[in-house]
Amino acid sequence: MDVKDKTIIVTGGGSGIGKALCVRFAAEGARVAVADLNGETAQQTAEQIGGLAVSCNVASESEIRHLVDRTELHFGPIDLFCSNAGILAGEPGHAASASNEVWQANWNIHVMAHIYAARAVLPGMIERGEGYFLQMISAAGLLNQIGDAAYSTTKHAALGFAEALAITHGDDGIKVSAVCPQFVATPMLGYGEGEGVDAEYGIIGPDEVADSVMAGLKEERFLILPHPQVETYRQTKAADYDRWINGMRRLRVRIIGDSGTADIKAMHKLV
């Protein structure tokens, strides 16, 4: 896909990966709607790129429909919907120890938000015979995330929905890409803008994710891996599931130690 002259929505576009994507899409000639729960950061990004800012809680179907309506009124039909918004909450103890509220929030933001977006724009895309869904998943959706079962579980579900979209609607002219980065220096992991990038340990910046996304969109690849090593991990998992799980157990011991909780910012130095 060439994004020039296309209308694009990016959720979570006020900071981190979402902001980097908004900037890149606009630089390539796209019309960009910047959606974020934080209306102020959405406005800042929109002003930077000449886009449209919309405050949006992606956990609400009515707010996503409002986002789509605002964007279509301003720019026209949606060509690409990028579901990028996400959260990290961690787990206080065992794998099921996070509260029901945390599990539900992960489910709403990582899964239902993607479904709400598809409900809002898919009928029009099918009618026009073209459209694109760019789903920000995570390497956790292919592998797992030590210390955050709710995140890992819902990211697996998000990947399943992306697959379902591609399988069900590929013949309708609908394209789907699932982006599965590993560690990225973003505010969600506690990094400020421009902080935390460490090539030696495989932690990349949002701009590098945007580079990978643009390359993947041009090739219309389903699976986009900003960290190429994730493909090796995925193949290792598929080749011998038990061996992979045992290896992840050992890694968990190294990461968790006696603390009982995972330090996400330090974890990248051990994987």
Side-chain angles (χ1 to χ4, degrees), residues 28-98:
E28 296 284 338
R31 300 176 292 270
V32 182
V34 184
D36 203 286
L37 184 63
N38 185 327
E40 183 177 345
T41 59
Q43 185 63 42
Q44 290 170 354
T45 301
E47 289 177 356
Q48 178 180 339
I49 66 173
L52 171 70
V54 182
S55 178
C56 180
N57 177 4
V58 299
S60 166
E61 184 168 14
S62 63
E63 292 201 26
I64 286 185
R65 288 193 175 276
H66 173 70
L67 166 64
V68 170
D69 290 344
R70 281 278 312 276
T71 303
E72 290 186 333
L73 184 63
H74 195 80
F75 287 137
I78 311 302
D79 296 295
L80 184 150
F81 196 110
C82 174
S83 291
N84 167 74
I87 60 171
L88 272 175
E91 57 197 31
H94 57 70
S97 62

Side-chain angles (χ1 to χ4, degrees), residues 15-18 183-193 195 203-206:
S15 63
I17 295 172
F183 293 100
V184 183
T186 67
M188 192 166 78
L189 292 185
Y191 295 103
E193 191 166 346
E195 296 179 345
I203 187 161
I204 64 176

Side-chain angles (χ1 to χ4, degrees), residues 127-211:
E127 184 177 349
R128 296 190 300 274
E130 61 181 0
Y132 214 119
F133 291 94
L134 179 64
Q135 315 286 52
M136 190 60 60
I137 311 295
S138 168
L142 294 167
L143 305 168
N144 212 281
Q145 177 64 64
I146 292 169
D148 201 331
Y151 183 84
S152 296
T153 302
T154 53
K155 289 296 188 176
H156 275 71
L159 183 62
F161 181 63
E163 292 171 349
L165 279 175
I167 292 166
T168 306
H169 297 292
D171 291 339
D172 297 320
I174 308 304
K175 308 294 184 181
V176 182
S177 288
V179 189
C180 294
Q182 201 165 24
F183 293 100
V184 183
T186 67
M188 192 166 78
L189 292 185
Y191 295 103
E193 191 166 346
E195 296 179 345
V197 176
D198 191 334
E200 180 182 358
Y201 292 110
I203 187 161
I204 64 176
D207 289 342
E208 292 171 271
V209 178
D211 289 341

